[in-house]
Amino acid sequence: MCVSGQGTNLRNLVDRGFDIVAVATNRPSCPAAALARDRDIPVGELSQSKFPSLEERDAAMRDFFLGHRVELVVDAGYDRIHSRNFLDAFAGRIINVHPSLLPMFAGGMDAVEQALESGLKFTGATVHLVTAEVDGGPILLQDSVPIVEGDTVETLRARVHEVEHRILPEGIRIMEGRLADRSAVR
């Protein structure tokens, strides 16, 4: 799992019994990394400042995940774009949860703020496959939440997180089924 933030999706998955075998972070002091350490999940601390390039950082993350036999990479609150070598190593096996109804408000970490400022009456969350096109991979699941009068970024984000916490586990189960089908064909 790749994380950079608070770790609400990581906590949700751990609490639901998902087997998180390793966590990579570009922010070693973030709450998500602390949660992983508290749960004795191996943490790869991969700050960009430790590497001469994005490609070298992602090569280290690739090797960290392969060393822990990661089958599915889940980006949840991860605020970086993966390089081609990482995408190739896990082709078809990386999913992201994004806090909007893609393609709306794609490409950034401020989708909730954008939704609130947009004047729309709804937003939501999306689980999708990660491809080289940022937030452009095939959508696995989406669900919406209303934007109500008086909403703040915090109140809207809380409702979006509720949807993320429901659809991310569903997206993982979909991918587990696809990966099982793929290995059965070999």
Side-chain angles (χ1 to χ4, degrees):
M1 187 164 201
C2 297
V3 299
S4 299
Q6 296 300 310
T8 63
N9 280 296
L10 173 59
R11 180 179 306 281
N12 180 54
L13 295 174
V14 169
D15 290 350
R16 289 178 181 236
F18 282 84
D19 185 21
I20 310 298
V21 298
V23 169
T25 183
N26 60 317
R27 300 179 187 273
S29 61
C30 74
L35 172 64
R37 285 186 208 93
D38 288 347
R39 301 291 178 102
D40 294 323
I41 300 169
V43 176
E45 297 180 359
L46 302 161
S47 299
Q48 185 62 55
S49 62
K50 294 182 179 180
F51 298 92
S53 69
L54 168 67
E55 289 76 18
E56 290 181 63
R57 195 261 335 261
D58 275 7
M61 184 165 48
R62 176 200 62 212
D63 295 346
F64 171 74
F65 280 152
L66 291 174
H68 285 89
R69 300 175 149 335
V70 169
E71 295 175 20
L72 176 67
V73 175
V74 177
D75 290 347
Y78 187 61
D79 65 2
R80 292 291 175 256
I81 297 169
H82 296 296
S83 65
R84 173 55 73 186
N85 66 358
F86 188 84
L87 293 172
D88 289 347
F90 293 98
R93 299 185 295 136
I94 307 171
I95 63 173
N96 180 47
V97 61
H98 185 79
S100 78
L101 294 171
L102 291 174
M104 289 189 294
F105 314 122
M109 296 300 291
D110 61 347
V112 173
E113 291 85 347
Q114 288 182 53
L116 192 58
E117 293 169 2
S118 73
L120 292 173
K121 299 294 182 197
F122 62 92
T123 189
T126 303
V127 175
H128 67 95
L129 285 171
V130 175
T131 63
E133 182 184 350
V134 177
D135 292 332
I139 292 171
L140 299 173
L141 296 161
Q142 289 184 310
D143 201 359
S144 63
V145 298
I147 299 174
V148 298
E149 190 171 328
D151 256 341
T152 64
V153 171
E154 292 77 23
T155 60
L156 183 55
R157 182 174 285 123
R159 286 199 310 284
V160 169
H161 276 303
E162 288 175 14
V163 170
E164 288 179 355
H165 295 167
R166 186 170 34 76
I167 68 172
L168 182 56
E170 291 177 39
I172 291 170
R173 287 185 189 101
I174 288 169
M175 289 304 298
E176 288 173 340
R178 288 181 182 181
L179 294 173
D181 289 347
R182 189 185 303 174
S183 66
V185 173
R186 290 183 188 171

